[in-house]
Amino acid sequence: QVQLVESGGGSVQAGGSLRLSCAASGLTSSSNPMGWFRQAPGQEREGVAAIYSRSGITVYADSVKGRFTISQDNAKPTVYLQMNSLKPEDTAMYYCASGFQGLSSEWRSQRLWSAWGQGTLVTVSS
């Protein structure tokens, strides 16, 4: 059974940075890729970034390209989300995900991911 535990959230001013971590256990070959999602109050959960560990390919939502970087330490194993130049609109609960089953072009669809962490809250003030 896959278990995902996020950490690293907090409050930061606009323009600041945070690094989120997702400690994973019970991973299998079907746990590739790993992803980060976020959900703001009253909004649907949306895909932020994903990483394919075998190929090293990373994908991002347009809203975070150039500001966020997803990476993975397979030895631990842990997935990271480095968030720079944060904006108030980045405020949300951030979730780590695995167990994706779908076309690669559908990675942002939360319904195609089966394992989730409990989330870590990121608050960006202006």
Side-chain angles (χ1 to χ4, degrees):
Q1 183 177 357
V2 175
Q3 289 191 324
L4 306 171
V5 180
E6 302 95 333
S7 61
S11 297
V12 64
Q13 289 192 328
S17 299
L18 284 173
R19 188 175 85 152
L20 306 183
S21 299
C22 171
S25 61
L27 295 179
T28 67
S29 58
S30 64
S31 301
N32 181 48
M34 298 287 294
W36 282 99
F37 283 71
R38 67 185 181 187
Q39 187 168 20
Q43 297 187 20
E44 291 189 359
R45 193 171 297 187
E46 63 173 358
V48 174
I51 184 167
Y52 292 78
S53 59
R54 296 192 191 99
S55 64
I57 291 175
T58 57
V59 289
Y60 297 92
D62 287 344
S63 58
V64 306
K65 277 182 183 176
R67 300 189 298 122
F68 291 11
T69 302
I70 188 171
S71 61
Q72 187 170 13
D73 183 342
N74 291 325
K76 290 187 178 182
T78 302
V79 179
Y80 303 97
L81 186 68
Q82 177 67 43
M83 305 186 296
N84 298 328
S85 303
L86 282 162
K87 305 175 181 180
E89 51 263 45
D90 294 318
T91 295
M93 188 72 80
Y94 282 72
Y95 299 90
C96 182
S98 72
F100 175 75
Q101 291 194 351
L103 300 175
S104 57
S105 59
E106 299 175 315
W107 71 271
R108 296 197 69 199
S109 177
Q110 60 160 325
R111 63 180 178 85
L112 299 179
W113 299 74
S114 59
W116 297 88
Q118 83 289 349
T120 186
L121 181 63
V122 172
T123 303
V124 184
S125 58
S126 58

